[in-house]
Amino acid sequence: MKYDLLKQNIQKNVTLSDAELENICTYFQPLQIQKKEFLLTQGSVCKFEGFVIDGCFRIFTIDKKGNENTLYFASNDWWLMDIDSFMNQKSSDLNIQALEESTLLLISREDKLALYETVPVVEKLFRIMSQKAIVAWQRRLISNHCQTAKERYFQFTTTYPNIVSKLTDKQVASYLGITHEFLSKLNHYGLKVHRFGCQT
């Protein structure tokens, strides 16, 4: 059962036989991680590509002043990794932390390369996924440059309500690149969405 979501995600991008899907799944190892536990820390090498089955993660950096800057969040049916560190086996600039008890499927760099050999269409799968990730980053950059903080906040909370419900105001502010105080002002003026099950 734990591989069903992965199979559905793959089938959104490429057409594979049941046998090929089962073969792909054998390369992924399940992992459970506790709330606030780190999957990756700055300075270490990213040795995995992960697919989130259940839970939520925050991917962020810490600058020289100790400020946290959130790049993105990953919840159910999302992929997460540090692609630079993973592909080039260099020290990571990212931290990946669980915001709640979570379950993932992980594939190592070695197994991913082996998978390319045994199921060649997988290379097409990850190419399509990479293209989608680039599109998402481009949209994020455009949003940061062309939208006001209010517009970015409204877009984030309406596009990802299930993720927002798991975040603190501080984490949302870090993602939007604004101060916690400014976010409080946005909330005060009625832009705050109702957060069922909000965790701190």
Side-chain angles (χ1 to χ4, degrees), residues 127-151:
R127 184 177 72 249
I128 292 172
M129 287 166 43
S130 295
Q131 290 170 343
K132 289 183 176 180
I134 291 171
V135 169
W137 278 111
Q138 178 175 303
R139 289 176 178 172
R140 173 91 189 273
L141 288 173
I142 292 172
S143 172
N144 287 346
H145 285 286
C146 300
Q147 292 183 322
T148 65
K150 287 183 180 180
E151 291 170 334

Side-chain angles (χ1 to χ4, degrees), residues 48-51 79-81 86 105-107 112 126 129:
F48 64 86
E49 184 163 358
F51 179 74
W79 294 83
L80 77 169
M81 66 186 300
F86 181 78
L105 294 174
L106 302 181
I107 185 170
K112 186 176 179 181
F126 283 102
M129 287 166 43

Side-chain angles (χ1 to χ4, degrees), residues 10-124:
I10 291 171
Q11 289 173 315
K12 292 176 186 176
N13 297 292
V14 294
T15 301
L16 295 171
S17 67
D18 290 342
E20 287 173 321
L21 283 170
E22 291 296 336
N23 186 26
I24 290 171
C25 289
T26 64
Y27 286 83
F28 287 81
Q29 303 302 316
L31 175 70
Q32 280 199 307
I33 187 168
Q34 299 303 308
K35 180 179 179 180
K36 296 187 178 181
E37 187 176 347
F38 282 85
L39 189 63
L40 179 70
T41 56
Q42 280 180 250
S44 60
V45 176
C46 183
K47 298 181 178 180
F48 64 86
E49 184 163 358
F51 179 74
V52 184
I53 297 296
D54 186 49
C56 188
F57 292 83
R58 179 170 68 113
I59 296 81
F60 66 100
T61 62
I62 301 176
D63 63 27
K64 293 180 180 179
K65 296 181 179 180
N67 299 313
E68 295 183 356
N69 304 287
T70 301
L71 278 69
Y72 67 99
F73 302 98
S75 189
N76 303 25
D77 201 27
W78 285 47
W79 294 83
L80 77 169
M81 66 186 300
D82 178 341
I83 189 169
D84 187 12
S85 178
F86 181 78
M87 295 303 297
N88 299 310
Q89 291 297 280
K90 61 184 288 289
S91 295
S92 176
D93 295 318
L94 304 180
N95 298 282
I96 300 179
Q97 184 184 32
L99 296 179
E100 60 185 8
E101 185 176 344
S102 304
T103 304
L104 309 98
L105 294 174
L106 302 181
I107 185 170
S108 68
R109 185 173 183 273
E110 292 75 21
D111 282 344
K112 186 176 179 181
L113 293 176
L115 190 54
Y116 286 162
E117 297 295 326
T118 58
V119 188
V121 73
V122 169
E123 193 160 4
K124 177 183 178 182

